Amino acid sequence: DAEITQSPRHKITETGRQVTLACHQTWNHNNMFWYRQDLGHGLRLIHYSYGVQDTNKGEVSDGYSVSRSNTEDLPLTLESAASSQTSVYFCASSASPRGEQYFGPGTRLTVT
Amino acid sequence: AQSVTQLDSQVPVFEEAPVELRCNYSSSVSVYLFWYVQYPNQGLQLLLKYLSGSTLVKGINGFEAEFNKSQTSFHLRKPSVHISDTAEYFCAVRILNDYKLSFGAGTTVTVRA
């Protein structure tokens, strides 16, 4: 069955370190998204991609970057982790505007 | 830009009672509307969606929602809840021909025996 996976599921890191969160989907969807979930804010869009070599900033993109070298993967990098980036991160993918976004299980990141 | 307001942050409810979760949105263009559910320690799962046509939409697990264009609302209902419906529920909108979702802050539903 097609799926979307995230790794690691839990990560503790120190302020200032670079961290990369992995997202891999096997639906062959062109569209992939990264969100962060914080209490009282729901999910907020960090970055998104509509295809290989395409990346776009979302509403909370400062301090984050993504790259898209193939259809299946969209890794999220925190260049210099900050305590404000402690959150749960979700990756999602979709095939079309009318279609469902499929979400991964999430990565809980703690920056100390 | 579009925005979503979920009017209740927490909804406690007894088992077998009905529940309604309220969602209002604002947008200058037509939108698609979604409800997602997040069970504890899991990702989000689609409950139902409104794209066009009938304003009453039925989803999984006995949930339904009604789109009201004049009131810009998309309220979620279930006539009789179970303990297993304890979860966080998110309303989301997407403008036509775009792929990005805008989420509300979420409503935590706690079902008690």
Side-chain angles (χ1 to χ4, degrees):
Chain A
D1 286 348
E3 62 176 356
I4 182 166
T5 58
Q6 294 182 236
S7 62
R9 295 293 313 277
H10 301 271
K11 174 78 175 178
I12 300 174
T13 191
E14 295 178 345
T15 300
R17 289 190 179 267
Q18 183 181 78
V19 176
T20 297
L21 309 183
C23 174
H24 178 80
Q25 52 98 2
T26 58
W27 274 292
N28 202 36
H29 289 162
N30 283 327
N31 313 298
M32 296 184 72
F33 310 85
W34 274 104
Y35 297 90
R36 59 178 288 173
Q37 183 183 23
D38 303 289
L39 195 63
H41 291 280
L43 277 75
R44 292 180 290 176
L45 185 64
I46 306 171
H47 280 286
Y48 57 101
S49 169
Y50 290 160
V52 176
Q53 303 300 331
D54 175 76
T55 61
N56 306 278
K57 294 182 179 180
E59 63 177 306
V60 291
S61 61
D62 287 349
Y64 304 93
S65 63
V66 293
S67 61
R68 188 89 180 270
S69 58
N70 59 55
T71 301
E72 296 80 16
D73 299 289
L74 187 69
L76 177 71
T77 297
L78 288 68
E79 301 294 343
S80 177
S83 58
S84 60
Q85 295 176 309
T86 291
S87 187
V88 181
Y89 291 86
F90 286 99
C91 180
S93 72
S94 72
S96 73
R98 293 173 66 91
E100 178 179 353
Q101 277 196 18
Y102 294 89
F103 284 79
T107 293
R108 184 174 296 275
L109 177 67
T110 302
V111 182
T112 62
Chain B
Q2 64 275 19
S3 66
V4 181
T5 302
Q6 291 185 240
L7 298 164
D8 307 289
S9 60
Q10 299 199 29
V11 174
V13 59
F14 286 106
E15 192 174 19
E16 298 183 7
V19 71
E20 178 180 78
L21 308 184
R22 297 178 294 168
C23 173
N24 286 96
Y25 70 94
S26 66
S27 176
S28 57
V29 297
S30 296
V31 297
Y32 300 133
L33 296 152
F34 304 81
W35 275 99
Y36 282 84
V37 59
Q38 183 182 29
Y39 298 107
N41 299 313
Q42 295 187 25
L44 278 71
Q45 178 182 354
L46 183 68
L47 270 180
L48 49 78
K49 60 186 177 184
Y50 172 79
L51 304 179
S52 64
S54 172
T55 57
L56 183 63
V57 179
K58 294 189 182 297
I60 62 171
N61 300 338
F63 284 92
E64 64 180 31
E66 186 155 19
F67 170 55
N68 188 319
K69 188 173 182 178
S70 63
Q71 297 188 3
T72 60
S73 68
F74 190 54
H75 301 334
L76 180 71
R77 302 184 184 95
K78 185 170 183 177
S80 176
V81 296
H82 303 291
I83 298 290
S84 58
D85 292 320
T86 294
E88 188 153 20
Y89 293 80
F90 293 96
C91 183
V93 301
R94 178 194 287 170
I95 64 173
L96 271 58
N97 299 320
D98 194 0
Y99 297 91
K100 303 187 298 296
L101 284 169
S102 295
F103 284 87
T107 298
T108 302
V109 173
T110 304
V111 182
R112 301 168 180 164

